[in-house]
């Protein structure tokens, strides 16, 4: 039985981890201030879009990811955010490990997002 359900298209749904991963992508890839009616929705990842691939950029990205998910995704607790640089393709890969916030669910999940490509 699915606990979380999210609509992908009119006749298509995702459940549980897929629904949360879909919501995480929506939050992180939405620029703050770009959504009418919700001016603070989204993340600040756009601020590091063309920044050098160094430890400062990685730490900023971790901070932006944690802040956005703490604010907008109440169904999860972020356990870890790992940023890996793939310099030959000039991109970063963020791996977010989280667990469900609901009591009684002992499930850990993770999502990897390709950023800056």
């Amino acid at each position: 039985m699915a606990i979380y359900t999210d609509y992908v298209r009119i006749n298509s749904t995702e459940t549980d981890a897929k629904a949360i991963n879909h919501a995480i992508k929506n939050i992180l890839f939405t620029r703050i201030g770009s959504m009418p009616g919700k001016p603070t929705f989204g993340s600040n990842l756009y601020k590091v879009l063309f920044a050098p691939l160094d430890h400062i950029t990685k730490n900023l990205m971790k901070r932006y990811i944690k802040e956005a998910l703490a604010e907008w995704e109440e169904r999860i607790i972020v356990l870890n955010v790992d940023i890996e640089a793939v310099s030959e393709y000039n991109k970063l890969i963020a791996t977010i490990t989280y667990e469900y916030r609901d009591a009684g669910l002992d499930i850990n999940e993770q999502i990897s997002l390709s950023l800056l490509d």
Side-chain angles (χ1 to χ4, degrees), residues 9-64:
R9 290 179 289 284
I10 293 173
N11 296 327
S12 177
T13 60
E14 293 178 337
T15 57
D16 296 339
K18 283 187 178 184
I20 291 176
N21 289 349
H22 187 252
I24 289 171
K25 288 178 186 178
N26 284 340
I27 293 165
L28 296 180
F29 293 144
T30 300
R31 183 180 181 149
I32 288 181
S34 66
M35 189 172 198
K38 288 187 178 179
T40 60
F41 179 81
S43 75
N44 284 315
L45 283 178
Y46 70 91
K47 290 183 177 181
V48 295
L49 193 55
F50 296 104
L53 302 179
D54 59 12
H55 71 282
I56 296 170
T57 303
K58 288 181 184 181
N59 287 335
L60 276 173
M61 288 181 66
K62 285 181 185 182
R63 184 174 131 213
Y64 292 154

Side-chain angles (χ1 to χ4, degrees), residues 95-109:
T95 302
I96 304 160
T97 305
Y98 64 87
E99 67 182 12
Y100 294 130
R101 187 177 292 273
D102 289 341
L105 290 176
D106 188 23
I107 301 172
N108 290 340
E109 295 289 339

Side-chain angles (χ1 to χ4, degrees), residues 53-103:
L53 302 179
D54 59 12
H55 71 282
I56 296 170
T57 303
K58 288 181 184 181
N59 287 335
L60 276 173
M61 288 181 66
K62 285 181 185 182
R63 184 174 131 213
Y64 292 154
I65 289 169
K66 288 178 182 178
E67 286 175 354
L69 295 180
E71 174 73 21
W72 293 105
E73 188 48 77
E74 297 175 351
R75 299 175 290 185
I76 65 170
I77 299 170
V78 176
L79 301 175
N80 188 37
V81 176
D82 185 44
I83 307 292
E84 176 189 354
V86 184
S87 55
E88 58 268 14
Y89 296 111
N90 195 35
K91 71 177 177 180
L92 297 170
I93 298 174
T95 302
I96 304 160
T97 305
Y98 64 87
E99 67 182 12
Y100 294 130
R101 187 177 292 273
D102 289 341

